[in-house]
Amino acid sequence: MLDDSHNIHHCNHPDSPQTQREVDNAQVIVAMPQGEESISISKDVHSCGIPSPPQSPQRAYSPSMVMGAIPEGSSDEASGNQVDELEDPELLRNALNIKMFDLVYFLLFKYEMKEFTTKAEILESIVREYEEYYPVIFSEAYNCLRLVFGIDMIEVDPFDQCYILVTALGITYDGMLSDVQGKPKTGLLIVVLGIIFLKGNCVSEKVIWRMLTKIGLCDEKDPFLYENPRKLITEDFVREGYLEYRQLPDSDPPRYVFLWGPRAFAETTKMKVLEFFASITKSDPRSYPEPYADALKDELDRA
């Protein structure tokens, strides 16, 4: 468990030059405690994890913008119109993105219904005439589910390639009942837990808001994913025990910091969070020495 006084004392001051450089960086860097190494969770992650929507495949989009662009109806007609023109790389990319968006909605429905799905069902219901591109469509949808919604796909039957969808990293809360939209909120929680851990187990509220806004996860004007992200983080996640939200001693005006809460320690580990972020950036967790050492110590303490 965290040593409370130590963690609060060593929190990044929200107005320090180092913090200001970090939050103003367009890449939204989650800096390591030593300030020399980093994991990017914005532009590079989104470009490899979430394809651009069909309307503008060259543009970089935040998660909420991308998911907000998902067509609500069937894409069969659009796919049929494009199938004869797939020699054009841009048209092909658009068509595959539409299929990816369809698959994300399909899998979210399966998650909500607590139903299994199979490769055969996905091919029949979603991919259809794009079967040869199934690995690409499936991989992009899987990455989007993990990064935006915090949902993992677990293969339960390799022979039939049967999958079940669960919340990632062992977290049991998904926030489905926190607003009328009914979208999983685990992705936002995992990102916040990751920022806290990677910045030395304690981070100022100001840095959290700026980082999440930069990557499109805390835009109150675009409520596609979260009706009220600040309420989710400062109230719901705190009430559920995943975060601690504390006022810095003697701060006037009051300033607040975030730390992991007891439920986060009970359900997941620092190593799982580090591996999650490393997988997104396609890097080795051991390439981040201080966080890796901290996560390894946490594993040994638990053992």
Side-chain angles (χ1 to χ4, degrees):
M1 185 64 67
L2 294 171
D3 181 320
D4 299 342
S5 60
H6 173 84
N7 282 313
I8 290 185
H9 179 72
H10 287 85
C11 276
N12 290 323
H13 190 285
D15 297 318
S16 68
Q18 178 182 355
T19 300
Q20 191 63 43
R21 285 194 300 271
E22 290 167 356
V23 299
D24 286 343
N25 189 295
Q27 289 286 98
V28 189
I29 296 299
V30 178
M32 296 300 148
Q34 66 270 32
E36 297 177 354
E37 296 167 318
S38 59
I39 290 180
S40 169
I41 57 169
S42 60
K43 181 179 177 182
D44 293 339
V45 175
H46 295 161
S47 63
C48 70
I50 305 177
S52 303
Q55 292 86 342
S56 182
Q58 299 296 334
R59 182 181 173 187
Y61 280 76
S62 68
S64 57
M65 291 171 65
V66 170
M67 297 309 299
I70 297 175
E72 303 217 348
S74 170
S75 63
D76 292 347
E77 181 179 351
S79 300
N81 293 337
Q82 291 177 337
V83 71
D84 295 328
E85 301 176 321
L86 296 186
E87 292 80 4
D88 186 316
E90 185 169 330
L91 289 177
L92 174 60
R93 185 182 344 187
N94 287 351
L96 296 183
N97 280 349
I98 290 174
K99 286 298 179 182
M100 188 283 294
F101 294 139
D102 287 346
L103 181 54
V104 167
Y105 264 121
F106 174 81
L107 294 174
L108 285 175
F109 175 77
K110 289 291 184 179
Y111 171 78
E112 185 177 357
M113 295 294 103
K114 296 180 171 56
E115 295 179 354
F116 293 89
T117 190
T118 64
K119 177 180 178 180
E121 183 180 29
I122 293 172
L123 287 171
E124 173 64 24
S125 302
I126 304 297
V127 178
R128 298 179 184 174
E129 67 271 23
Y130 295 90
E131 183 173 354
E132 64 180 301
Y133 298 102
Y134 172 82
V136 174
I137 297 170
F138 182 87
S139 176
E140 298 288 6
Y142 170 76
N143 288 338
C144 183
L145 280 174
R146 294 190 80 218
L147 179 60
V148 179
F149 299 106
I151 302 298
D152 257 337
M153 293 185 68
I154 307 298
E155 189 176 58
V156 295
D157 186 343
F159 181 78
D160 289 332
Q161 292 185 274
C162 179
Y163 305 93
I164 189 170
L165 292 107
V166 299
T167 49
L169 305 188
I171 292 173
T172 59
Y173 169 82
D174 61 13
M176 291 284 284
L177 301 180
S178 61
D179 60 47
V180 296
Q181 294 169 308
K183 296 291 190 299
K185 311 301 188 298
T186 317
L188 177 63
L189 174 59
I190 290 173
V191 170
V192 173
L193 291 175
I195 293 173
I196 294 170
F197 165 53
L198 294 171
K199 291 187 70 65
N201 300 310
C202 175
V203 65
S204 70
E205 178 181 23
K206 183 177 181 180
V207 171
I208 287 284
W209 300 142
R210 288 198 180 185
M211 285 185 168
L212 294 178
T213 299
K214 289 280 189 179
I215 61 176
L217 289 175
C218 196
D219 185 355
E220 296 180 358
K221 296 180 181 179
D222 185 359
F224 180 81
L225 293 179
Y226 318 114
E227 182 178 355
N228 189 334
R230 289 178 183 263
K231 177 180 179 297
L232 273 171
I233 295 170
T234 60
E235 297 182 24
D236 295 30
F237 294 166
V238 173
R239 183 176 61 252
E240 294 291 335
Y242 288 106
L243 299 177
E244 291 190 15
Y245 182 54
R246 301 182 185 174
Q247 182 178 344
L248 285 172
D250 304 320
S251 60
D252 185 19
R255 297 197 305 273
Y256 294 86
V257 295
F258 287 99
L259 303 91
W260 278 30
R263 189 171 171 184
F265 283 102
E267 293 185 355
T268 193
T269 67
K270 294 179 179 180
M271 186 64 76
K272 288 181 179 179
V273 171
L274 179 60
E275 289 173 345
F276 180 90
F277 278 85
S279 70
I280 290 174
T281 56
K282 304 185 187 305
S283 58
D284 188 328
R286 289 170 293 186
S287 64
Y288 307 98
E290 287 195 19
Y292 184 78
D294 187 4
L296 189 59
K297 181 180 183 300
D298 181 60
E299 296 289 301
L300 294 174
D301 289 344
R302 290 169 182 267

